[in-house]
Amino acid sequence: MIRRSLAFCLAIILMASTATHTAAFSNGGAVRRSLKGSSSSSDNQRRIATTTGGGASKTALYAAAKKKSTKAAAEEEGVVNFKKAEFVSAVAEKTGMTKAESEVALSAVLNVIATEVAAGKRISLPGFGTFKLNYRAARKGRNPKTGDEIDIKASYSPSFSASKTFKEMANPDR
């Protein structure tokens, strides 16, 4: 009986000290104080911003949390970034060219695709896909901040459509 009451008292003390510790590190409207002897103007500005409700906005905090959650979701799905240097190395390994030659070849291919598509041509690579230029008509839109109606100009946008073979490679279980 004494052990239970002693354990219960310890648990209450532990929870109370944890709550105090957590509250000490939260930004619940408390005034930030600079360390003794380090009263620089930036510390004073931060202190003023904190007391007046400035600092990080809720939108910025939401965006940071969303960015972290998207990164976590990408890691869970197993999405891996294949960087340009890795791509160049893979091309060099497959073709037997040096990495420098592979990088020159890659930049040449991308340059040709970009210039030809920008000129309005359609580039079709059988087994891979098609690069083309899409026309986007002028339309009305809304400024999300103010809600005012704005005119969005007509524009051209490059696009890529994967071929049937490429889609089947991406979905082997179908």
Side-chain angles (χ1 to χ4, degrees), residues 20-39:
T20 307
H21 180 70
T22 307
F25 289 102
S26 68
N27 192 10
V31 177
R32 280 191 189 170
R33 297 192 180 155
S34 60
L35 296 174
K36 190 173 186 180
S38 66
S39 61

Side-chain angles (χ1 to χ4, degrees), residues 111-155:
N111 186 17
V112 168
I113 290 172
T115 55
E116 295 302 318
V117 170
K121 294 182 182 176
R122 178 184 295 224
I123 299 176
S124 180
L125 303 171
F128 184 70
T130 303
F131 297 91
K132 61 183 178 179
L133 200 61
N134 285 340
Y135 175 74
R136 301 181 80 197
R139 61 195 184 279
K140 299 279 185 186
R142 293 215 175 263
N143 182 341
K145 201 172 206 178
T146 62
D148 294 339
E149 191 173 84
I150 57 172
D151 293 324
I152 300 173
K153 296 179 182 177
S155 64

Side-chain angles (χ1 to χ4, degrees), residues 30-103:
V31 177
R32 280 191 189 170
R33 297 192 180 155
S34 60
L35 296 174
K36 190 173 186 180
S38 66
S39 61
S40 66
S41 62
S42 63
D43 286 339
N44 290 336
Q45 289 173 352
R46 268 192 239 121
R47 191 174 335 125
I48 291 167
T50 305
T51 56
T52 58
S57 66
K58 288 182 181 179
T59 316
L61 294 174
Y62 174 74
K66 186 175 180 182
K67 186 175 184 180
K68 285 181 183 177
S69 68
T70 8
K71 281 186 179 179
E75 288 175 6
E76 287 177 9
E77 292 177 9
V79 176
V80 178
N81 288 336
F82 195 61
K83 302 202 167 127
K84 183 181 176 185
E86 296 168 346
F87 186 78
V88 168
S89 296
V91 169
E93 194 175 301
K94 290 241 183 201
T95 61
M97 299 188 320
T98 65
K99 287 183 182 179
E101 292 170 343
S102 298
E103 189 167 0

